[in-house]
């Protein structure tokens, strides 16, 4: 409630008068100070210039007597200087500083000067000037001591004149100005407070306009107060409307509490217990009792401590990921946020993001795999190119027919290696972008085409390649994927054939069992060393000493088999044999089922 105290306005009136006098007085004082200081300094400069000029003029008159060796003849000039009102003592000195003549006689000249110089003390101005002959030679010094009493008297007179003028101006300007400010500022403010008191008491929240002679600032203040009162009126209406909407908001809050997307918890921070939980929160956290401890759902104690610390210090916690313990040996990733809802109470919102976290991790893995692929692919492509460049330079250095013929062979092998690498890189890209579209495939024709395509790898046809298709119908499978699998496994079998054995061979068997296509590719080549067997399906991995490819063949096979939902296994004995087994689900089972000898 606003209370009006009349004595308060009298005090404010006095303060306005005092502040006005202080402001005007400070301004006048500053102005008079600069005026007094400037007048004094100017008078001081005239004082010094006058006596310094008199002394220099006398020094010129003394040149002739001194040059004639009669310093006593200059006495009448020195006495003229000594006769001046403020001059107390005059000396005529030899160049070595000894006294020749003084006026009045026997006076003592204080101060220690050298050359042409001035020296001030509290009571005297000491002046010294040189006496030089026609040719510039030093004949002596003329010194004088001048009393500063005239300056001190002038300073006191200026001070008292300025003080009287200051007080007069202060009374003539400060008092009328304070009266003007009181009439233009204080009285309208008193009226404003009374009007404001009446508006609050009557709950009208309206005030009268400012008095006609009020200043621009006071009128602005009246407008601001009127705007504030209108804002209060509007806010009261809004508050009334909010009170009417309170029940509806409670219903919306209940609907939010019981939604099926996020879980809501009400936690008592004083004892770290869950007071209330929504059905979705109970489902996410596997809650059976609301009296559970909130800290028990954090798999990491440090995360819980930082969560509570931020909630206590800032009043809210932005959404953050946390590993939540929902069962004794089961955790899930959750998105959790909170804000204070009163004294030692907090509202906690939790959402299950395990699937999203898994997708993000998978996306990151694919991104890392892509970066790795690009990095290694660039190196694999540069190696044959650099080899080609070196061979070309060698041909330029030695263009003989024999050397060119030999280099052409090397060029051919490097270009074949580059072409193979590019084909594998393109195959990886096509594998990633290819859509699995099942179509009727003649597996026997596909195997025969692969054997014919890689015939160049079979040196002198020494490797006996045989195949057996144990069904006579077409199967529904993606042709592109199946061709990649057969081509890469067959090319590896031929590359690592052991030609030291009497009968190198490769055997391909295809059969259908339980709506799955079963492929086995067996060879009696060099085998796979035990130490590299766990790594053969990795990208760009070449662990064998005879490996000349890019290290992508088995990686592509593994990718294609996984994308088709199948499995690939292998059995290898170093130095003896290697067999790869591939099982691929068919889009449609064949018309007849056949027995499988390999399954037995």
């Amino acid at each position: 409630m606003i209370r009006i105290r009349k004595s308060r306005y009298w005090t404010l009136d006095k303060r306005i008068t005092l502040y006005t006098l202080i402001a005007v007085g400070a301004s006048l004082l500053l102005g008079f100070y600069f005026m007094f200081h400037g007048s004094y300094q100017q008078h001081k400069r005239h004082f010094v210039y006058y006596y310094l000029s008199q002394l220099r003029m006398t020094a010129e008159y003394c040149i002739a007597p001194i040059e004639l060796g009669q310093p006593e003849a200059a006495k009448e000039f020195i006495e003229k200087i000594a006769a001046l009102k403020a001059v107390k003592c005059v000396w005529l000195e030899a160049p070595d500083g000894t006294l020749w003549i003084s006026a009045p006689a026997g006076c003592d000249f204080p101060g220690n000067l050298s050359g042409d110089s001035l020296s001030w003390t509290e009571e005297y101005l000491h002046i010294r000037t040189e006496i030089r002959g026609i040719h510039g030679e030093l004949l002596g010094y003329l010194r004088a001591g001048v009393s500063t009493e005239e300056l001190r008297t002038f300073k006191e007179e200026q001070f008292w004149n300025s003080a009287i003028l200051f007080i007069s101006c202060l009374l003539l300007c400060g008092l009328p100005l304070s009266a003007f400010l009181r009439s233009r500022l204080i009285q309208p403010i008193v009226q404003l407070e009374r009007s404001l008191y009446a508006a609050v008491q009557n709950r009208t929240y309206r005030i009268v306009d400012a008095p006609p002679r009020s200043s621009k600032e006071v009128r602005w203040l009246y407008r601001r107060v009127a705007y504030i009162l209108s804002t209060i009126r509007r806010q009261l209406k809004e508050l009334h409307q909010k009170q009417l909407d309170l029940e509806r908001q409670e219903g919306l809050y209940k609907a939010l509490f019981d939604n099926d997307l996020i879980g809501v918890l009400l936690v008592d921070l004083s004892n770290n217990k869950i007071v209330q939980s929504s059905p979705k929160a109970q489902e996410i956290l596997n809650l059976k009792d609301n009296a559970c401890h909130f800290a028990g759902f954090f798999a990491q104690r440090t995360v819980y401590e930082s969560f509570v610390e931020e909630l206590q210090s800032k009043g809210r916690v932005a959404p953050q990921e946390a590993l939540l313990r929902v069962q004794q040996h089961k955790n899930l990733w959750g998105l959790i946020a909170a804000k204070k809802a009163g004294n030692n109470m907090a509202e906690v919102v939790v959402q299950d993001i395990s699937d999203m976290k898994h997708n993000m991790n998978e996306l990151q893995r694919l991104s890392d795999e892509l970066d790795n692929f690009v990095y290694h692919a660039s190196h694999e492509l540069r190696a044959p190119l650099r080899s080609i460049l070196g061979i070309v330079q060698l041909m330029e250095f030695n263009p003989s027919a024999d050397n060119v013929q030999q280099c052409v062979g090397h060029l051919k092998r490097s270009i074949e290696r580059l072409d193979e690498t590019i084909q594998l890189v393109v195959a990886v890209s096509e594998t990633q972008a290819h859509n699995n579209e099942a179509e009727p495939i003649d597996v026997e024709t596909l195997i025969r085409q692969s054997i014919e395509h890689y015939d160049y790898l079979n040196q002198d046809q020494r490797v006996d390649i045989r195949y057996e298709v144990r069904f006579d119908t077409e199967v529904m499978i993606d042709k592109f994927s199946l061709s990649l699998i057969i081509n890469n496994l067959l090319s590896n079998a031929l590359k690592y054939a052991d030609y030291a054995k009497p009968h190198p061979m490769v055997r391909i068997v295809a059969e259908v069992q339980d709506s799955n296509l079963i492929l086995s590719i067996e060879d009696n080549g060099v085998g796979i060393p035990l130490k590299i067997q766990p790594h053969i399906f990795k990208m760009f991995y070449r662990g064998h000493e005879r490996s000349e490819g890019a290290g992508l063949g088995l990686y592509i096979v593994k990718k294609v088999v996984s994308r088709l939902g199948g499995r690939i296994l292998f059995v290898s004995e170093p130095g003896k044999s290697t067999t790869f087994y591939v099982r691929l689900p068919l889009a449609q089972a064949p018309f007849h089922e056949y027995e499988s000898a390999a399954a037995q």
Side-chain angles (χ1 to χ4, degrees):
M1 189 65 66
I2 300 175
R3 296 184 179 275
I4 300 175
R5 297 174 59 187
K6 294 184 178 180
S7 60
R8 178 181 176 186
Y9 298 104
W10 176 246
T11 304
L12 182 59
D13 188 79
K14 290 181 179 180
R15 289 180 179 177
I16 289 294
T17 303
L18 179 61
Y19 296 157
T20 305
L21 292 176
I22 291 175
V24 174
S27 301
L28 291 174
L29 185 62
L30 188 62
F32 284 125
Y33 169 75
F34 285 111
M35 182 179 68
F36 166 75
H37 183 70
S39 176
Y40 173 73
Q41 291 296 328
Q42 184 177 7
H43 187 76
K44 183 178 178 180
R45 285 194 296 271
H46 287 309
F47 178 81
V48 173
Y49 178 76
Y50 173 75
Y51 288 103
L52 183 60
S53 300
Q54 293 292 330
L55 193 64
R56 287 177 176 173
M57 185 183 301
T58 304
E60 292 179 358
Y61 291 148
C62 294
I63 293 176
I66 294 175
E67 287 182 342
L68 296 175
Q70 300 174 353
E72 294 82 0
K75 187 174 183 180
E76 59 176 310
F77 301 111
I78 296 175
E79 288 177 349
K80 289 180 180 180
I81 293 296
L84 295 177
K85 180 179 178 181
V87 177
K88 301 299 182 182
C89 183
V90 181
W91 279 18
L92 180 60
E93 296 179 350
D96 58 358
T98 58
L99 176 62
W100 281 353
I101 305 172
S102 66
C107 68
D108 186 17
F109 193 94
N112 184 16
L113 300 177
S114 61
D116 285 345
S117 58
L118 301 175
S119 175
W120 288 90
T121 62
E122 185 177 355
E123 297 180 354
Y124 289 97
L125 166 65
H126 304 292
I127 306 174
R128 181 182 184 183
T129 182
E130 296 178 347
I131 302 175
R132 293 188 176 272
I134 298 176
H135 301 289
E137 68 276 12
L138 182 63
L139 302 178
Y141 300 97
L142 187 62
R143 300 174 61 180
V146 183
S147 174
T148 59
E149 183 178 359
E150 179 184 350
L151 285 177
R152 293 196 301 271
T153 303
F154 176 79
K155 187 175 183 180
E156 291 177 0
E157 291 176 355
Q158 286 290 99
F159 173 77
W160 287 113
N161 291 336
S162 300
I164 294 172
L165 185 60
F166 167 75
I167 295 173
S168 301
C169 293
L170 182 62
L171 295 177
L172 292 175
C173 299
L175 293 178
L177 180 60
S178 64
F180 173 76
L181 292 177
R182 288 198 305 271
S183 63
R184 297 290 300 274
L185 183 63
I186 303 302
Q187 293 176 359
I189 291 177
V190 173
Q191 180 179 345
L192 175 62
E193 184 171 0
R194 289 175 180 172
S195 300
L196 184 59
Y197 176 78
V200 174
Q201 291 294 328
N202 301 329
R203 295 188 178 181
T204 60
Y205 301 102
R206 297 180 186 277
I207 60 172
V208 298
D209 294 334
R213 298 186 60 185
S214 301
S215 64
K216 180 173 61 176
E217 291 77 9
V218 171
R219 290 196 298 272
W220 177 85
L221 180 61
Y222 268 74
R223 290 194 298 269
R224 294 300 298 173
V225 172
Y227 172 76
I228 292 172
L229 291 178
S230 65
T231 304
I232 292 174
R233 289 197 307 271
R234 185 175 66 254
Q235 289 179 349
L236 287 175
K237 291 181 181 179
E238 293 176 356
L239 179 61
H240 179 67
Q241 184 65 33
K242 289 180 180 179
Q243 290 176 348
L244 295 178
D245 295 341
L246 182 59
E247 293 182 359
R248 185 174 62 87
Q249 294 293 337
E250 290 179 352
L252 293 176
Y253 180 78
K254 186 177 183 302
L256 176 64
F257 192 78
D258 295 336
N259 75 86
D260 296 332
L261 298 177
I262 58 175
V264 182
L265 302 172
L266 190 61
V267 180
D268 187 353
L269 298 177
S270 60
N271 54 14
N272 190 31
K273 287 188 177 181
I274 299 176
V275 178
Q276 192 175 0
S277 59
S278 67
K280 185 63 177 178
Q282 296 175 6
E283 177 186 347
I284 295 174
L285 300 177
N286 195 24
L287 275 173
K288 296 183 176 60
D289 185 5
N290 280 336
C292 296
H293 286 279
F294 178 61
F297 292 103
F298 286 82
Q300 299 172 328
R301 183 70 181 181
T302 55
V303 176
Y304 166 75
E305 292 174 353
S306 62
F307 182 86
V308 174
E309 181 181 355
E310 184 177 355
L311 180 61
Q312 294 285 10
S313 60
K314 299 182 180 179
R316 61 173 57 244
V317 179
Q320 58 179 265
E321 296 179 359
L323 192 60
L324 304 178
R325 183 184 294 113
V326 296
Q327 292 181 4
Q328 185 175 3
H329 299 292
K330 181 181 178 181
N331 297 332
L332 61 83
W333 281 100
L335 188 67
I336 187 168
K339 71 172 183 178
K340 280 193 173 181
N343 190 18
N344 289 329
M345 300 297 293
E347 292 179 355
V348 181
V349 178
V350 61
Q351 184 179 5
D352 186 2
I353 59 169
S354 298
D355 294 339
M356 183 180 70
K357 191 73 174 178
H358 173 74
N359 294 335
M360 290 179 62
N361 292 336
E362 182 66 18
L363 183 63
Q364 182 63 40
R365 184 188 65 80
L366 293 176
S367 176
D368 295 340
E369 186 175 317
L370 178 60
D371 293 341
N372 186 38
F373 173 78
V374 172
Y375 173 78
H376 285 88
S378 62
H379 281 269
E380 291 296 332
L381 292 174
R382 287 187 64 190
L385 288 175
R386 293 176 66 88
S387 177
I388 292 172
L389 180 61
I391 295 172
V392 171
Q393 292 175 350
L394 185 61
M395 292 171 64
E396 292 177 349
F397 180 76
N398 186 7
S400 62
D402 295 339
N403 184 60
V404 170
Q405 185 66 29
Q406 184 178 3
C407 290
V408 167
H410 292 305
L411 279 174
K412 181 179 180 181
R413 285 191 294 272
S414 297
I415 293 173
E416 289 175 351
R417 179 183 174 187
L418 178 61
D419 180 65
E420 181 183 359
T421 302
I422 293 175
Q423 288 181 4
L424 289 174
V425 171
V426 172
V428 172
S429 176
E430 292 177 348
T431 301
Q432 298 290 344
H434 182 71
N435 295 324
N436 298 332
E437 297 181 358
E439 57 180 303
I441 299 299
D442 186 352
V443 178
E444 182 177 357
T445 302
L446 199 64
I447 294 174
R448 187 169 57 252
Q449 291 176 352
S450 297
I451 294 174
E452 293 174 357
H453 179 72
Y454 288 102
D455 185 62
Y456 70 94
L457 293 176
N458 190 358
Q459 298 180 10
D460 301 327
Q461 304 298 318
R462 293 181 58 191
V463 179
D464 182 16
I465 305 176
R466 298 182 183 182
Y467 66 90
E468 179 182 1
V469 180
R470 296 177 180 177
F471 53 91
D472 56 1
T473 60
E474 294 181 340
V475 295
M476 294 292 295
I477 197 169
D478 181 55
K479 182 178 180 180
F480 174 78
S481 302
L482 182 60
S483 177
L484 279 178
I485 294 171
I486 296 174
N487 287 343
N488 282 286
L489 292 179
L490 177 60
S491 65
N492 275 357
L494 293 175
K495 286 179 181 178
Y496 300 108
D498 190 356
Y499 293 99
K501 293 179 181 179
H503 301 291
M505 70 86 179
V506 175
R507 184 185 180 193
I508 304 174
V509 178
E511 59 182 343
V512 174
Q513 181 182 5
D514 298 332
S515 299
N516 292 293
L517 175 63
I518 310 297
L519 289 175
S520 65
I521 299 181
E522 178 186 3
D523 65 75
N524 62 346
V526 296
I528 304 174
L530 295 177
K531 65 179 181 180
I532 71 171
Q533 288 185 11
H535 311 290
I536 63 172
F537 292 112
K538 293 181 179 179
M539 183 190 300
F540 294 105
Y541 183 79
R542 293 179 297 187
H544 202 282
E545 61 183 5
R546 289 177 53 179
S547 177
E548 296 180 356
L552 287 173
L554 291 179
Y555 169 78
I556 295 174
V557 172
K558 179 70 173 179
K559 278 296 210 182
V560 172
V561 172
S562 299
R563 194 183 70 246
L564 293 177
R567 293 188 63 189
I568 180 171
L569 303 172
F570 71 93
V571 178
S572 180
E573 295 184 35
K576 293 184 179 181
S577 64
T578 299
T579 305
F580 282 89
Y581 298 96
V582 180
R583 184 182 68 185
L584 301 173
L586 299 174
Q588 181 180 350
F591 296 104
H592 302 89
E593 294 184 356
Y594 299 89
E595 296 181 356
S596 173
Q600 299 176 358

